[in-house]
Every structure is written in C-alpha cells, then in structure tokens.
Amino acid sequence: MSDSIGISRERLEQALAHSTFAQLLGAELLDFAPGRVSLQVRSRPDLCQHHGYMHGAVVGFMVDSGCAWAAASMVGDVVTSEYKLNLLAPALGERLLCRAEVLKAGQRQAVCRADVFALKDGQEKLVATGLATIARV
C-alpha cells in the first residue's frame, strides 16, 4: 500500500458529510494525520441502551470508522474487511473519543487499532479497544 497516496482531510470530511449513518450518530473528525485519526460522538439519549450507556453499536462504529479513516489517510479508498471489538467498561460520559492508528500497511490491506474513551467531567476512561483489517478498494 505504500505506493498509493492517502486521501486528504478535506476529502475525508466530504465523505463524512455524505455518510447519512455517520451524520445520524453525529460523528465528528477531530484530528487527522497520515496513519492516525481521532473522532468523537457526543452522547444523546437516542444513542444509549437501556442502562443509559452509549450503545455498543456506536462504539463499534467508532472503531470501524476510525480504523478505516486512518488507513484511508495513507492509502486512499478503503473498506473494512473485519474488525474485533473488546468492550472494557460501560461507555458513560458526555462524549466518546476514538483514537485510531495504522499498525502495518501492506499491498492489499492495512491492520489498524483503535481505542475508545468515554469523557466524563474532564476525565478519560478507556471503554473499548479494537483491531481492524482494512482492504484497499
């Protein structure tokens, strides 16, 4: 994958603006650099499960998207081939923050990791971690 040019922040923001699912969740791109991104989703009652925690599907979206966006920043257009999610603690806070990075990029795929933190009262708590295989389109 090293012979390709990654997408720009502007191109990723355009794609995000056209993703109705990301818009439904209110996903926001925070930081962007080759091989690294961070994004956030603010907590809302309609994104929570019956105990009041952010739903695991929202956390999964963040790992999936964070890893794909980090890979895209290096190699261009991608899709997720698979991801594994470990939910470590209840996702309870004002917002969730995901930090994702490319661990290794090859000719056909990139392996990425992402950590998701709940931010509550100015404190970060690790609530999930994941690994993803991202395939070049």
Side-chain angles (χ1 to χ4, degrees), residues 2 4 27 36 39 42 47 50 55-56 61 63 65 68 71 74 81-82 90 96 98 105 123-124 131-133:
S2 59
S4 292
R36 293 180 185 271
L39 64 135
R42 295 181 190 280
L47 299 180
H50 64 285
H55 197 284
F61 161 84
V63 167
S65 296
M74 291 182 66
S81 178
E82 63 85 28
L96 296 182
C98 176
Q123 299 292 318
E124 288 186 6
L131 289 173
T133 303

Side-chain angles (χ1 to χ4, degrees), residues 2-71:
S2 59
D3 60 339
S4 292
I5 297 173
I7 66 170
S8 67
R9 181 183 183 121
E10 293 75 24
R11 175 66 185 102
L12 180 54
E13 287 175 338
Q14 289 171 354
L16 183 57
H18 287 94
S19 171
T20 53
F21 188 69
Q23 292 302 307
L24 174 72
L25 297 180
E28 300 172 62
L29 178 65
L30 299 176
D31 296 313
F32 179 90
R36 293 180 185 271
V37 299
S38 64
L39 64 135
Q40 74 175 2
V41 172
R42 295 181 190 280
S43 182
R44 305 188 321 244
D46 60 322
L47 299 180
C48 295
Q49 46 86 290
H50 64 285
H51 292 293
Y53 312 138
M54 291 281 279
H55 197 284
V58 177
V59 177
F61 161 84
M62 296 184 80
V63 167
D64 177 11
S65 296
C67 287
W69 298 352

Side-chain angles (χ1 to χ4, degrees), residues 65-110:
S65 296
C67 287
W69 298 352
S73 74
M74 291 182 66
V75 305
D77 198 14
V78 297
V79 294
T80 301
S81 178
E82 63 85 28
Y83 74 94
K84 180 194 186 319
L85 176 67
N86 287 88
L87 299 168
L88 306 172
L92 185 60
E94 294 91 26
R95 63 186 173 115
L96 296 182
L97 171 66
C98 176
R99 295 186 186 107
E101 66 181 331
V102 174
L103 298 176
K104 172 91 172 145
Q107 287 298 312
R108 291 182 218 144
Q109 64 187 21

